[in-house]
Amino acid sequence: MAKLLLCLEGNVIKEFRLNRDRFTIGRRANNDLQIDNLAVSGEHAAITTVGRDVFVEDLDSTNGTILNGSPVKRQLLQDGDEVTIGKYVIKFWKEAQDAPGSATEGTDFEKTMMLRAPPGGGAAAPPKPVQQPAAPQAAAAPQAPAEPVKLGVVKVLTGANAGRELPLTKNLTTLGKAGVQVAVITRRPQGYFITHVEGATTPRVNGTEIGNAARQLNEEDLIELLGVQMAFFTH
């Protein structure tokens, strides 16, 4: 499903799902997205959905509608396009149908790794651990794919990696920069959780620092780490 991210001065302040064929933007209260600013006309622009295509249309506004730096009357929107109305920027986000596993792997900002338990020590220890975990793992193996019903994905909204998506396919995903600020997102039977690992300040979720406790992530939560804003969603 397509979404609109309302941004002001580089910060995402609100998110809207395009769950209707026509979505209006303007200063009047009857609009789906009301922007109370004198530079915005009463009925400034509309976002219309035709099949799988989404268009932005200027409604003869006084100051015009800007798409990626150029004024438009009606234009097809692509994922990542930015519509400027007054001093506000509206980012168009079209969720990918398929999760490309290699789209973000290997970047400087995002890195993933698998959490592995350390092996047991001693000469007599290996036979027991090999047999004891075998029963729990046999029971847990068929449950693991069923527990996370939907795949978690983190999409970068700001910064150099804006627009990239990181599918949370591993048990543990690290985000951040070592020595500055690091957080981990873990996949559990109950869902996805974010935990602070390193840094003077903890990550923010929906504008609030998470502290040192694990925080469960919900659909469309906004994460801020190292000044970069990201969105969590599932599909």
Side-chain angles (χ1 to χ4, degrees), residues 103-112 156 160-161 164 166 174-178 181-182 225-226 228:
T104 53
E105 291 180 359
T107 64
D108 292 335
F109 182 75
E110 305 133 343
K111 294 182 180 178
T112 64
V156 184
N161 291 305
R164 291 181 177 269
L166 177 64
T174 60
L175 300 174
K177 185 176 181 180
Q181 190 178 31
V182 177
L225 183 72
L226 289 174
V228 175

PDB file of all heavy atoms in Angstrom, residues 103-112 156 160-161 164 166 174-178 181-182 225-226 228:
ATOM      1  N   ALA A 103      19.028  -5.539  -1.250  1.00  0.00           N
ATOM      2  CA  ALA A 103      18.893  -4.110  -1.538  1.00  0.00           C
ATOM      3  C   ALA A 103      19.707  -3.262  -0.593  1.00  0.00           C
ATOM      4  O   ALA A 103      20.221  -2.223  -0.962  1.00  0.00           O
ATOM      5  CB  ALA A 103      17.416  -3.696  -1.482  1.00  0.00           C
ATOM      6  N   THR A 104      19.813  -3.673   0.661  1.00  0.00           N
ATOM      7  CA  THR A 104      20.504  -2.836   1.627  1.00  0.00           C
ATOM      8  C   THR A 104      21.653  -3.539   2.303  1.00  0.00           C
ATOM      9  O   THR A 104      22.371  -2.926   3.084  1.00  0.00           O
ATOM     10  CB  THR A 104      19.510  -2.374   2.716  1.00  0.00           C
ATOM     11  OG1 THR A 104      18.870  -3.514   3.240  1.00  0.00           O
ATOM     12  CG2 THR A 104      18.483  -1.427   2.154  1.00  0.00           C
ATOM     13  N   GLU A 105      21.825  -4.816   2.061  1.00  0.00           N
ATOM     14  CA  GLU A 105      22.891  -5.522   2.745  1.00  0.00           C
ATOM     15  C   GLU A 105      24.237  -5.022   2.251  1.00  0.00           C
ATOM     16  O   GLU A 105      24.440  -4.765   1.074  1.00  0.00           O
ATOM     17  CB  GLU A 105      22.770  -7.030   2.502  1.00  0.00           C
ATOM     18  CG  GLU A 105      21.545  -7.622   3.188  1.00  0.00           C
ATOM     19  CD  GLU A 105      21.428  -9.109   2.960  1.00  0.00           C
ATOM     20  OE1 GLU A 105      22.287  -9.666   2.257  1.00  0.00           O
ATOM     21  OE2 GLU A 105      20.474  -9.700   3.480  1.00  0.00           O
ATOM     22  N   GLY A 106      25.181  -4.881   3.204  1.00  0.00           N
ATOM     23  CA  GLY A 106      26.518  -4.477   2.832  1.00  0.00           C
ATOM     24  C   GLY A 106      26.725  -2.983   2.830  1.00  0.00           C
ATOM     25  O   GLY A 106      27.791  -2.511   2.483  1.00  0.00           O
ATOM     26  N   THR A 107      25.702  -2.179   3.150  1.00  0.00           N
ATOM     27  CA  THR A 107      25.900  -0.750   3.200  1.00  0.00           C
ATOM     28  C   THR A 107      26.613  -0.374   4.486  1.00  0.00           C
ATOM     29  O   THR A 107      26.670  -1.129   5.439  1.00  0.00           O
ATOM     30  CB  THR A 107      24.543  -0.015   3.147  1.00  0.00           C
ATOM     31  OG1 THR A 107      23.790  -0.366   4.323  1.00  0.00           O
ATOM     32  CG2 THR A 107      23.759  -0.417   1.915  1.00  0.00           C
ATOM     33  N   ASP A 108      27.160   0.866   4.504  1.00  0.00           N
ATOM     34  CA  ASP A 108      27.883   1.310   5.691  1.00  0.00           C
ATOM     35  C   ASP A 108      26.949   1.510   6.865  1.00  0.00           C
ATOM     36  O   ASP A 108      27.330   1.322   8.010  1.00  0.00           O
ATOM     37  CB  ASP A 108      28.612   2.632   5.383  1.00  0.00           C
ATOM     38  CG  ASP A 108      29.738   2.412   4.385  1.00  0.00           C
ATOM     39  OD1 ASP A 108      30.250   1.273   4.320  1.00  0.00           O
ATOM     40  OD2 ASP A 108      30.098   3.361   3.685  1.00  0.00           O
ATOM     41  N   PHE A 109      25.718   1.907   6.585  1.00  0.00           N
ATOM     42  CA  PHE A 109      24.808   2.229   7.686  1.00  0.00           C
ATOM     43  C   PHE A 109      24.162   0.990   8.282  1.00  0.00           C
ATOM     44  O   PHE A 109      23.986   0.880   9.479  1.00  0.00           O
ATOM     45  CB  PHE A 109      23.728   3.193   7.193  1.00  0.00           C
ATOM     46  CG  PHE A 109      22.792   3.603   8.283  1.00  0.00           C
ATOM     47  CD1 PHE A 109      23.173   4.511   9.252  1.00  0.00           C
ATOM     48  CD2 PHE A 109      21.526   3.052   8.375  1.00  0.00           C
ATOM     49  CE1 PHE A 109      22.323   4.876  10.261  1.00  0.00           C
ATOM     50  CE2 PHE A 109      20.673   3.410   9.395  1.00  0.00           C
ATOM     51  CZ  PHE A 109      21.078   4.333  10.328  1.00  0.00           C
ATOM     52  N   GLU A 110      23.775   0.052   7.437  1.00  0.00           N
ATOM     53  CA  GLU A 110      23.047  -1.109   7.918  1.00  0.00           C
ATOM     54  C   GLU A 110      23.887  -2.365   7.753  1.00  0.00           C
ATOM     55  O   GLU A 110      24.450  -2.607   6.705  1.00  0.00           O
ATOM     56  CB  GLU A 110      21.741  -1.287   7.130  1.00  0.00           C
ATOM     57  CG  GLU A 110      20.867  -0.070   7.146  1.00  0.00           C
ATOM     58  CD  GLU A 110      20.359   0.256   5.773  1.00  0.00           C
ATOM     59  OE1 GLU A 110      20.910  -0.237   4.795  1.00  0.00           O
ATOM     60  OE2 GLU A 110      19.417   1.015   5.703  1.00  0.00           O
ATOM     61  N   LYS A 111      23.989  -3.144   8.794  1.00  0.00           N
ATOM     62  CA  LYS A 111      24.682  -4.418   8.719  1.00  0.00           C
ATOM     63  C   LYS A 111      23.884  -5.436   9.507  1.00  0.00           C
ATOM     64  O   LYS A 111      23.309  -5.123  10.534  1.00  0.00           O
ATOM     65  CB  LYS A 111      26.099  -4.303   9.310  1.00  0.00           C
ATOM     66  CG  LYS A 111      27.010  -3.397   8.490  1.00  0.00           C
ATOM     67  CD  LYS A 111      28.406  -3.355   9.067  1.00  0.00           C
ATOM     68  CE  LYS A 111      29.308  -2.455   8.240  1.00  0.00           C
ATOM     69  NZ  LYS A 111      30.667  -2.359   8.789  1.00  0.00           N
ATOM     70  N   THR A 112      23.842  -6.663   9.028  1.00  0.00           N
ATOM     71  CA  THR A 112      23.120  -7.720   9.716  1.00  0.00           C
ATOM     72  C   THR A 112      24.074  -8.820  10.111  1.00  0.00           C
ATOM     73  O   THR A 112      25.092  -9.038   9.470  1.00  0.00           O
ATOM     74  CB  THR A 112      22.021  -8.307   8.815  1.00  0.00           C
ATOM     75  OG1 THR A 112      22.636  -8.923   7.684  1.00  0.00           O
ATOM     76  CG2 THR A 112      21.058  -7.240   8.351  1.00  0.00           C
ATOM     77  N   VAL A 156      14.693   3.288   5.303  1.00  0.00           N
ATOM     78  CA  VAL A 156      15.392   4.520   5.653  1.00  0.00           C
ATOM     79  C   VAL A 156      14.691   5.687   4.973  1.00  0.00           C
ATOM     80  O   VAL A 156      14.451   5.665   3.763  1.00  0.00           O
ATOM     81  CB  VAL A 156      16.868   4.455   5.222  1.00  0.00           C
ATOM     82  CG1 VAL A 156      17.609   5.708   5.681  1.00  0.00           C
ATOM     83  CG2 VAL A 156      17.543   3.213   5.802  1.00  0.00           C
ATOM     84  N   ALA A 160      21.822   9.645   3.628  1.00  0.00           N
ATOM     85  CA  ALA A 160      22.412   9.169   2.375  1.00  0.00           C
ATOM     86  C   ALA A 160      21.747   7.909   1.848  1.00  0.00           C
ATOM     87  O   ALA A 160      21.748   7.656   0.652  1.00  0.00           O
ATOM     88  CB  ALA A 160      23.913   8.926   2.573  1.00  0.00           C
ATOM     89  N   ASN A 161      21.188   7.104   2.745  1.00  0.00           N
ATOM     90  CA  ASN A 161      20.565   5.838   2.338  1.00  0.00           C
ATOM     91  C   ASN A 161      19.050   5.930   2.199  1.00  0.00           C
ATOM     92  O   ASN A 161      18.375   4.895   2.194  1.00  0.00           O
ATOM     93  CB  ASN A 161      20.917   4.733   3.342  1.00  0.00           C
ATOM     94  CG  ASN A 161      22.382   4.355   3.281  1.00  0.00           C
ATOM     95  OD1 ASN A 161      22.902   4.018   2.228  1.00  0.00           O
ATOM     96  ND2 ASN A 161      23.063   4.413   4.411  1.00  0.00           N
ATOM     97  N   ARG A 164      16.199   3.192   0.930  1.00  0.00           N
ATOM     98  CA  ARG A 164      16.628   1.798   1.002  1.00  0.00           C
ATOM     99  C   ARG A 164      15.791   1.028   2.018  1.00  0.00           C
ATOM    100  O   ARG A 164      15.358   1.581   3.019  1.00  0.00           O
ATOM    101  CB  ARG A 164      18.109   1.706   1.378  1.00  0.00           C
ATOM    102  CG  ARG A 164      19.052   2.208   0.290  1.00  0.00           C
ATOM    103  CD  ARG A 164      20.492   2.068   0.737  1.00  0.00           C
ATOM    104  NE  ARG A 164      21.416   2.465  -0.297  1.00  0.00           N
ATOM    105  CZ  ARG A 164      21.931   1.645  -1.206  1.00  0.00           C
ATOM    106  NH1 ARG A 164      21.586   0.365  -1.194  1.00  0.00           N
ATOM    107  NH2 ARG A 164      22.778   2.070  -2.110  1.00  0.00           N
ATOM    108  N   LEU A 166      15.595  -2.549   4.419  1.00  0.00           N
ATOM    109  CA  LEU A 166      16.361  -3.627   5.038  1.00  0.00           C
ATOM    110  C   LEU A 166      15.401  -4.691   5.554  1.00  0.00           C
ATOM    111  O   LEU A 166      14.771  -4.520   6.598  1.00  0.00           O
ATOM    112  CB  LEU A 166      17.199  -3.081   6.189  1.00  0.00           C
ATOM    113  CG  LEU A 166      18.011  -4.110   6.979  1.00  0.00           C
ATOM    114  CD1 LEU A 166      19.056  -4.761   6.091  1.00  0.00           C
ATOM    115  CD2 LEU A 166      18.679  -3.468   8.181  1.00  0.00           C
ATOM    116  N   THR A 174      21.788  -5.489  13.416  1.00  0.00           N
ATOM    117  CA  THR A 174      22.413  -4.340  14.063  1.00  0.00           C
ATOM    118  C   THR A 174      22.270  -3.115  13.179  1.00  0.00           C
ATOM    119  O   THR A 174      22.401  -3.200  11.952  1.00  0.00           O
ATOM    120  CB  THR A 174      23.901  -4.595  14.342  1.00  0.00           C
ATOM    121  OG1 THR A 174      24.580  -4.840  13.114  1.00  0.00           O
ATOM    122  CG2 THR A 174      24.078  -5.783  15.265  1.00  0.00           C
ATOM    123  N   LEU A 175      22.026  -1.974  13.810  1.00  0.00           N
ATOM    124  CA  LEU A 175      21.929  -0.704  13.115  1.00  0.00           C
ATOM    125  C   LEU A 175      22.814   0.307  13.819  1.00  0.00           C
ATOM    126  O   LEU A 175      22.887   0.325  15.045  1.00  0.00           O
ATOM    127  CB  LEU A 175      20.483  -0.189  13.106  1.00  0.00           C
ATOM    128  CG  LEU A 175      19.410  -1.047  12.441  1.00  0.00           C
ATOM    129  CD1 LEU A 175      18.045  -0.415  12.669  1.00  0.00           C
ATOM    130  CD2 LEU A 175      19.679  -1.180  10.959  1.00  0.00           C
ATOM    131  N   GLY A 176      23.478   1.152  13.062  1.00  0.00           N
ATOM    132  CA  GLY A 176      24.244   2.226  13.672  1.00  0.00           C
ATOM    133  C   GLY A 176      25.709   2.189  13.314  1.00  0.00           C
ATOM    134  O   GLY A 176      26.122   1.567  12.336  1.00  0.00           O
ATOM    135  N   LYS A 177      26.498   2.860  14.140  1.00  0.00           N
ATOM    136  CA  LYS A 177      27.931   2.974  13.921  1.00  0.00           C
ATOM    137  C   LYS A 177      28.651   2.660  15.209  1.00  0.00           C
ATOM    138  O   LYS A 177      28.390   3.275  16.250  1.00  0.00           O
ATOM    139  CB  LYS A 177      28.289   4.385  13.432  1.00  0.00           C
ATOM    140  CG  LYS A 177      29.755   4.560  13.066  1.00  0.00           C
ATOM    141  CD  LYS A 177      30.010   5.947  12.510  1.00  0.00           C
ATOM    142  CE  LYS A 177      31.471   6.124  12.120  1.00  0.00           C
ATOM    143  NZ  LYS A 177      31.716   7.486  11.583  1.00  0.00           N
ATOM    144  N   ALA A 178      29.554   1.696  15.161  1.00  0.00           N
ATOM    145  CA  ALA A 178      30.293   1.284  16.357  1.00  0.00           C
ATOM    146  C   ALA A 178      31.040   2.464  16.956  1.00  0.00           C
ATOM    147  O   ALA A 178      31.659   3.259  16.245  1.00  0.00           O
ATOM    148  CB  ALA A 178      31.272   0.167  16.008  1.00  0.00           C
ATOM    149  N   GLN A 181      26.756   5.096  18.145  1.00  0.00           N
ATOM    150  CA  GLN A 181      25.425   4.673  18.584  1.00  0.00           C
ATOM    151  C   GLN A 181      25.050   3.401  17.840  1.00  0.00           C
ATOM    152  O   GLN A 181      25.120   3.348  16.610  1.00  0.00           O
ATOM    153  CB  GLN A 181      24.374   5.756  18.328  1.00  0.00           C
ATOM    154  CG  GLN A 181      23.034   5.460  18.995  1.00  0.00           C
ATOM    155  CD  GLN A 181      22.015   6.570  18.764  1.00  0.00           C
ATOM    156  OE1 GLN A 181      22.034   7.234  17.742  1.00  0.00           O
ATOM    157  NE2 GLN A 181      21.131   6.758  19.721  1.00  0.00           N
ATOM    158  N   VAL A 182      24.700   2.383  18.593  1.00  0.00           N
ATOM    159  CA  VAL A 182      24.349   1.091  18.005  1.00  0.00           C
ATOM    160  C   VAL A 182      23.069   0.585  18.670  1.00  0.00           C
ATOM    161  O   VAL A 182      22.903   0.698  19.888  1.00  0.00           O
ATOM    162  CB  VAL A 182      25.475   0.051  18.181  1.00  0.00           C
ATOM    163  CG1 VAL A 182      25.044  -1.301  17.629  1.00  0.00           C
ATOM    164  CG2 VAL A 182      26.754   0.518  17.495  1.00  0.00           C
ATOM    165  N   LEU A 225      17.865   7.050  14.691  1.00  0.00           N
ATOM    166  CA  LEU A 225      19.163   6.565  15.151  1.00  0.00           C
ATOM    167  C   LEU A 225      20.238   7.327  14.395  1.00  0.00           C
ATOM    168  O   LEU A 225      20.195   7.408  13.169  1.00  0.00           O
ATOM    169  CB  LEU A 225      19.278   5.060  14.891  1.00  0.00           C
ATOM    170  CG  LEU A 225      20.543   4.350  15.368  1.00  0.00           C
ATOM    171  CD1 LEU A 225      20.548   4.242  16.890  1.00  0.00           C
ATOM    172  CD2 LEU A 225      20.629   2.953  14.765  1.00  0.00           C
ATOM    173  N   LEU A 226      21.185   7.915  15.125  1.00  0.00           N
ATOM    174  CA  LEU A 226      22.263   8.703  14.514  1.00  0.00           C
ATOM    175  C   LEU A 226      21.707   9.844  13.658  1.00  0.00           C
ATOM    176  O   LEU A 226      22.290  10.227  12.644  1.00  0.00           O
ATOM    177  CB  LEU A 226      23.154   7.811  13.644  1.00  0.00           C
ATOM    178  CG  LEU A 226      24.048   6.816  14.381  1.00  0.00           C
ATOM    179  CD1 LEU A 226      24.753   5.902  13.379  1.00  0.00           C
ATOM    180  CD2 LEU A 226      25.090   7.550  15.221  1.00  0.00           C
ATOM    181  N   VAL A 228      19.221   9.709  11.784  1.00  0.00           N
ATOM    182  CA  VAL A 228      18.565   9.168  10.596  1.00  0.00           C
ATOM    183  C   VAL A 228      17.202   8.614  10.989  1.00  0.00           C
ATOM    184  O   VAL A 228      17.086   7.912  11.985  1.00  0.00           O
ATOM    185  CB  VAL A 228      19.427   8.064   9.950  1.00  0.00           C
ATOM    186  CG1 VAL A 228      18.689   7.422   8.783  1.00  0.00           C
ATOM    187  CG2 VAL A 228      20.762   8.620   9.492  1.00  0.00           C
TER     188      VAL A 228
END
